[in-house]
Amino acid sequence: MHLDHITLHTRDLACTRAFFPKVFGDLEERDRPKAIHRDPGHRLYAGDKPFVHLIVTRGNGRDTADETFDHFGIRLAGYKSFRARLQDLGIQHSTMDFPEIEERLLFSRAPSSPLLEAVARILANELAPIRVNVISPHLTDTEAHSGMNEEARNAMLDRAVSLLPLVQQAHRKTSHESLFAIDNPFVTGAVMDIDGGALIN
């Protein structure tokens, strides 16, 4: 397992494309998978190793900045076992396959998602004086998991609880009780992490 690449959104794609070889030396551009051709971009390699992926900024939503960090990629073996681990931990994820380059991708977010924080701040700035705040809960026992086998569901929730410093299960009421902070008229652009101490563990 190792860090594979970082992906950046940039408003000036040509300038950013020229920057990296100028600063880091001999970088080679390689073809991008067809599935992502709808968004202009580049993939730069250092020898046989991926280095940086660039995607053009559209100028709306999260893409309002001239340049933003999108994600970093980790290369690992054991796709099926790692996906099963995410499911066992109750971590939401999505998939994407690139058969032409023999890659299978899993996308997930850390509890302190930088994207979530960035969206909250961008919207708070754009919509001011309307206030925008976000609640970011840990895995919560709600009807969202009602379709799971009861034994698997309980095992998932128990596993999540065991990893928390507070060793407590989050319920819908847990998030509702955090609204006292969002109700404060002097709070905007904030992310409330209702996570049982997950971020300090």
Side-chain angles (χ1 to χ4, degrees), residues 121-178:
R121 291 179 177 178
I122 289 169
L123 289 178
N125 185 56
E126 289 184 351
L127 299 178
I130 298 174
R131 297 183 302 112
V132 178
N133 296 293
V134 176
I135 294 177
S136 178
H138 193 260
L139 179 64
T140 304
D141 186 10
T142 70
E143 292 82 356
H145 308 293
S146 60
M148 296 179 63
N149 172 277
E150 184 175 359
E151 183 178 352
R153 176 172 173 270
N154 290 336
M156 176 187 71
L157 295 172
D158 289 344
R159 169 68 174 167
V161 168
S162 71
L163 298 173
L164 297 177
L166 293 184
V167 198
Q168 296 180 28
Q169 176 60 59
H171 299 276
R172 184 186 293 106
K173 184 180 179 183
T174 312
S175 294
H176 287 176
E177 290 175 345
S178 68

Side-chain angles (χ1 to χ4, degrees), residues 38-53:
R38 64 184 179 277
D39 293 318
H42 301 281
R43 285 191 168 196
L44 301 179
Y45 284 68
D48 290 331
K49 304 296 184 183
F51 182 69
V52 63
H53 296 175

